[in-house]
Amino acid sequence: MALSPSLNRPEAPRTETARPGGEEGGAAEVPQARTEPQQAPAEGAVTPRQHAEGEGAQDPARRSRARGRGARRPTGRERHDEKITVYVSAEELMDLEHARLVLRGEHGLAVDRGRVVREAISVVLADLEQRGEASILVRRLRGR
């Protein structure tokens, strides 16, 4: 089915040419991409692709079920707003990845390394608050 000309389709990026070294340089022309901002479709609007595939009349819940083709369980992943960078050795990274694989293979927990790290931090900080001087964190940092 052909799209009608009245549908608002995004344009392909236009290219302009520039000569390295200025206009009189005589070098070969080098294309430079120039993109124009594309407008997002209004909420509830039917995109040309949806129109062509007949998807416009479906409600969002039906579309998500149609994509998945089965019942999906929540993954437990959360969005986090804050970030820190931690440098680890190659051995520590391998240990972390091994722990992730053990959690998946032996315990049926499909989690990413970030989740493992966040849980480990939570456990260690709770132990510090509860046990204080006798906590595993204090003992390890003191070298005992």
Side-chain angles (χ1 to χ4, degrees), residues 62-124:
R62 185 172 173 192
R63 271 185 276 164
S64 65
R65 283 192 307 269
R67 277 189 216 119
R69 300 284 188 238
R72 289 193 174 193
R73 297 184 318 220
T75 64
R77 291 185 72 176
E78 297 177 27
R79 182 176 190 91
H80 297 87
D81 297 328
E82 305 299 327
K83 178 182 175 179
I84 65 169
T85 301
V86 178
Y87 291 89
V88 297
S89 68
E91 185 178 349
E92 290 168 329
L93 184 59
M94 291 300 293
D95 290 344
L96 180 57
E97 184 63 17
H98 180 261
R100 186 188 71 80
L101 293 172
V102 167
L103 288 167
R104 182 179 180 183
E106 295 179 18
H107 303 286
L109 297 169
V111 295
D112 60 17
R113 292 180 299 205
R115 175 90 185 270
V116 174
V117 169
R118 287 188 299 276
E119 290 298 327
I121 290 170
S122 179
V123 167
V124 169

Side-chain angles (χ1 to χ4, degrees), residues 21-37:
E23 288 295 318
E24 300 175 27
E29 293 184 354
V30 178
Q32 295 177 339
R34 185 182 87 195
T35 58
E36 296 177 11

